[in-house]
Amino acid sequence: MSLKFMFDSFSWPLQDLNIEQKGVLFSCLLALLWCFISNSNKGLPPGPKALPLIGNLHSLEPQLHTYFASLSKIYGPICRIWLGKKLGIIVTSPALAREVLKDKDTIFANRDVSVAGREVTYGGTDIVWTPYGPKWRMLRKVCVQEMLSASTLDSLYALRRRELRQSINYFYNQTGSPVNVGEQMFLTALNVITSMLWGGTVKGEERATLGAEVRDVVTKMNELLVTPNLSDFYPGLAWFDLQGVKKKMKVLAKRYDNIFESMIDQRQKMNRNGVGQESKDFLQVLLKLKDEADPKMPLTMTELKALLTDMVVGGTETSANTVEFAMTEIMNKPDVLRKLQQEVDTVVGKDNIVEESHIQHLPYLYAVMKEVLRLYPAVPLLVPHCPSETVTVGGYAVPKGSSVFVNVWAIHRDPSIWENPTEFHPERFMENKWDFSGNDLTYFPFGSGRRICVGLAMAERMFMYSLASLIHSFDWKLPEGETLDFTEKFVLVLKKKMPLVAIPTPRLSNPTLYE
Ligand code: HEM
């Protein structure tokens, strides 16, 4: 429909031609476009034949991670795909991933901002979309050293604990009934993160209302962020916003901004009255930084809000989906569940509840986290990188401005690297060298190099604390007649196609441990 729209809109110079002349002209145009596209493939990595105008859009499959993996099996560890006018480069080997993310990191540490992404992050002023340079370094520093440092995270433990205990209490009240584990984990992650953002300001009923509003906005934003958008494939058409993605995102971004404005307003009032300083949360940390920032590199109110957006959008789905995949795999392997429960029982005891301080004493749980992120890396193609200049990778040209997808999902399942790659086997991580640092490009679920995930430390805490609490507090079984489903769905992040529904049964000694 949109291509017809394009031809209709630009048909005025053809009005005086008869049907045969139009046919000839159209064929010439197609031939020219074909030549243009064939020539423009010179020096590029190999890839499937592209059609004029649409490139490979016609054969694109929604499960991009598996589709890209199948292309790399045909065309090799570096291949190309045309997304309309946009060139995509797919990288699927540790050696080439190293070239992109380590050896030529400064060139590739840039992003190609999507229309929807720009709209939702105050014009791309957040960490994810800011190009590599002094501004991005400043934002990362704020995040790593101030918001997500070990000491700030320690000081926010009470907020995380409050939210997780509420979820455990919810599961307890559902004893014996089927519960949508995925949905609950999303709510828990969202509540944990928003609580850390401004939990010191919002109390009681307002917290619940605000939670529902944020949840609604974030869910709709995530849907729009993954809508294939013609404005991204044909930047020349962006002005028309043919699918209305930009317009819809603007409305959501405004709702989101209203929430931030109201939180910031309340906090500034509290600060003026001398009571805000007691609030320990990201908002307080950021407002202080903003007031004390170096005038040569200020932290603006817009950047502050964009940073808060990153925490919510970057931290909720990733964390929640990882816990849901873990629960699914564990329920499929009763031995793993038993071993995990034994480990947690030994460290915590059955007359006690899990605290975050326990998690560093749970090596098997840590191995489970690594194995889940091997099979289901939360961001399977990383956030696409974009070279700031044309550069050679694996002997092929990667032009400036192309979108580079590093298929970490496929590397994590490569049989030449992993024994029984599709089997969930946490033991493989008990005594080996793999970690989350991204130094070894056979295993890098959080990315590697300069753009490595900024929320790594928080993700570790959230996953370990949540999963330890879930399997320590409850035994889990499937509803009668149900089977486990492992089908994945690619929506920029990786999620389960069918949510995990399971029945919790309390296993601790005393009902007060669920309050
Ligand atoms: C299981 C949990 C998570 C996984 C597996 C994960 C993974 C990733 C990956 C693969 C990237 C892209 C790296 C690249 O482009 O090369 C990324 C970027 C990012 N993540 Fe995470 N993430 C997780 C949780 C979080 C959390 C909890 C937060 C924040 C609270 C967060 C915030 C970010 C941000 C802001 C970026 C962009 C960094 C930049 O472009 O400089 N992530 N993450």
Side-chain angles (χ1 to χ4, degrees):
M1 192 181 83
S2 30
L3 286 180
K4 181 179 179 305
F5 173 88
M6 273 169 55
F7 283 122
D8 289 351
S9 311
F10 297 106
S11 63
W12 59 266
L14 310 179
Q15 274 164 6
D16 297 334
L17 303 183
N18 64 34
I19 188 78
E20 285 85 13
Q21 287 168 321
K22 278 182 184 169
V24 172
L25 186 68
F26 188 63
S27 310
C28 291
L29 271 175
L30 276 185
L32 270 173
L33 274 166
W34 185 260
C35 279
F36 170 74
I37 285 183
S38 311
N39 285 336
S40 62
N41 284 335
K42 275 224 174 89
L44 296 181
K49 276 231 166 348
L51 293 176
L53 279 175
I54 59 170
N56 302 106
L57 283 178
H58 62 294
S59 53
L60 210 60
E61 290 170 16
Q63 299 312 305
L64 274 193
H65 62 307
T66 49
Y67 175 59
F68 284 179
S70 69
L71 287 183
S72 71
K73 284 203 176 112
I74 303 170
Y75 299 101
I78 178 162
C79 50
R80 59 137 220 278
I81 183 164
W82 284 99
L83 306 162
K85 290 263 294 171
K86 198 132 258 321
L87 176 64
I89 303 288
I90 304 157
V91 167
T92 321
S93 79
L96 295 181
R98 174 170 293 283
E99 229 183 302
V100 169
L101 300 172
K102 288 283 197 190
D103 304 346
K104 293 168 185 162
D105 191 9
T106 45
I107 295 171
F108 281 101
N110 290 286
R111 307 282 196 206
D112 179 27
V113 192
S114 70
V115 169
R118 192 181 294 280
E119 210 53 53
V120 77
T121 53
Y122 299 88
T125 53
D126 64 331
I127 298 186
V128 182
W129 302 121
T130 297
Y132 176 60
K135 193 84 209 180
W136 171 80
R137 268 197 295 275
M138 182 277 281
L139 293 174
R140 266 204 80 117
K141 197 166 143 204
V142 166
C143 235
V144 175
Q145 289 185 6
E146 308 290 343
M147 289 162 79
L148 301 171
S149 69
S151 60
T152 309
L153 286 178
D154 281 348
S155 71
L156 297 180
Y157 174 51
L159 297 174
R160 285 193 293 284
R161 188 179 190 276
R162 180 179 73 186
E163 299 303 332
L164 192 76
R165 293 317 304 169
Q166 277 199 2
S167 295
I168 296 296
N169 178 258
Y170 170 84
F171 285 125
Y172 184 69
N173 291 332
Q174 304 300 312
T175 295
S177 315
V179 186
N180 186 328
V181 179
E183 192 178 278
Q184 280 312 309
M185 287 331 294
F186 179 72
L187 287 185
T188 308
L190 188 66
N191 289 346
V192 165
I193 286 179
T194 50
S195 187
M196 284 196 286
L197 295 189
W198 50 60
T201 311
V202 194
K203 305 252 162 8
E205 227 171 70
E206 193 190 352
R207 217 167 91 228
T209 333
L210 194 71
E213 170 70 355
V214 177
R215 188 162 70 243
D216 188 50
V217 177
V218 169
T219 311
K220 289 183 175 142
M221 271 179 176
N222 283 343
E223 277 164 19
L224 277 183
L225 278 172
V226 299
T227 303
N229 189 356
L230 286 173
S231 302
D232 293 325
F233 303 146
Y234 304 96
L237 295 180
W239 192 83
F240 297 102
D241 188 23
L242 291 171
Q243 294 149 278
V245 171
K246 184 174 172 179
K247 196 169 146 210
K248 287 182 211 151
M249 199 53 126
K250 233 187 181 81
V251 174
L252 290 175
K254 183 72 196 131
R255 277 175 66 190
Y256 203 61
D257 187 57
N258 286 344
I259 300 172
F260 283 160
E261 286 282 324
S262 144
M263 289 300 107
I264 292 167
D265 245 32
Q266 283 190 44
R267 179 57 56 84
Q268 283 177 328
K269 264 189 212 131
M270 286 165 77
N271 285 352
R272 277 196 295 277
N273 297 335
V275 288
Q277 283 79 358
E278 293 152 23
S279 311
K280 284 227 175 258
D281 52 30
F282 287 157
L283 189 53
Q284 190 63 20
V285 173
L286 285 175
L287 285 172
K288 189 161 175 281
L289 279 173
K290 182 183 154 296
D291 291 342
E292 294 167 3
D294 176 355
K296 284 194 213 121
M297 185 57 81
L299 174 68
T300 65
M301 191 55 99
T302 306
E303 285 157 359
L304 184 155
K305 289 191 276 188
L307 275 181
L308 296 180
T309 310
D310 273 355
M311 298 301 106
V312 177
V313 177
T316 43
E317 282 245 50
T318 47
S319 306
N321 297 346
T322 308
V323 174
E324 191 185 4
F325 274 120
M327 284 291 291
T328 312
E329 287 287 357
I330 290 168
M331 286 184 66
N332 192 41
K333 293 237 162 152
D335 282 0
V336 174
L337 178 58
R338 248 192 314 278
K339 220 165 144 178
L340 272 177
Q341 286 180 327
Q342 245 166 31
E343 184 181 73
V344 185
D345 287 351
T346 309
V347 174
V348 180
K350 282 178 93 168
D351 306 320
N352 203 353
I353 58 173
V354 175
E355 300 289 350
E356 215 174 66
S357 55
H358 291 125
I359 63 181
Q360 56 193 300
H361 307 293
L362 303 169
Y364 189 62
L365 182 70
Y366 201 38
V368 166
M369 177 175 180
K370 287 179 176 172
E371 179 68 337
V372 172
L373 284 171
R374 180 185 70 80
L375 277 173
Y376 310 103
V379 194
L381 300 174
L382 305 185
V383 179
H385 289 241
C386 179
S388 54
E389 60 186 76
T390 299
V391 64
T392 307
V393 175
Y396 295 104
V398 176
K400 175 180 175 178
S402 43
S403 285
V404 178
F405 302 92
V406 179
N407 196 341
V408 60
W409 179 90
I411 294 174
H412 283 183
R413 289 171 180 238
D414 182 340
S416 71
I417 304 169
W418 305 96
E419 216 179 299
N420 301 325
T422 53
E423 193 195 334
F424 180 76
H425 183 59
E427 282 71 14
R428 72 174 93 229
F429 283 103
M430 282 304 275
E431 275 167 33
N432 64 42
K433 58 192 167 52
W434 287 295
D435 57 27
F436 295 138
S437 67
N439 289 331
D440 183 336
L441 274 297
T442 55
Y443 182 71
F444 53 110
F446 289 94
S448 172
R450 284 175 167 77
R451 286 280 181 172
I452 194 170
C453 175
V454 85
L456 204 167
M458 188 161 123
E460 272 187 345
R461 287 185 191 221
M462 279 173 60
F463 176 92
M464 297 282 287
Y465 183 36
S466 309
L467 194 66
S469 303
L470 286 181
I471 55 103
H472 179 246
S473 309
F474 304 101
D475 284 316
W476 295 89
K477 65 171 187 209
L478 286 177
E480 202 63 39
E482 294 292 326
T483 51
L484 286 167
D485 184 276
F486 295 86
T487 319
E488 303 159 5
K489 189 169 167 194
F490 177 87
V491 278
L492 216 83
V493 294
L494 198 64
K495 61 188 293 177
K496 282 188 88 263
K497 189 170 176 206
M498 306 300 294
L500 171 67
V501 175
I503 300 174
T505 308
R507 64 186 289 277
L508 298 182
S509 61
N510 190 331
T512 56
L513 298 171
Y514 294 91
E515 282 169 0

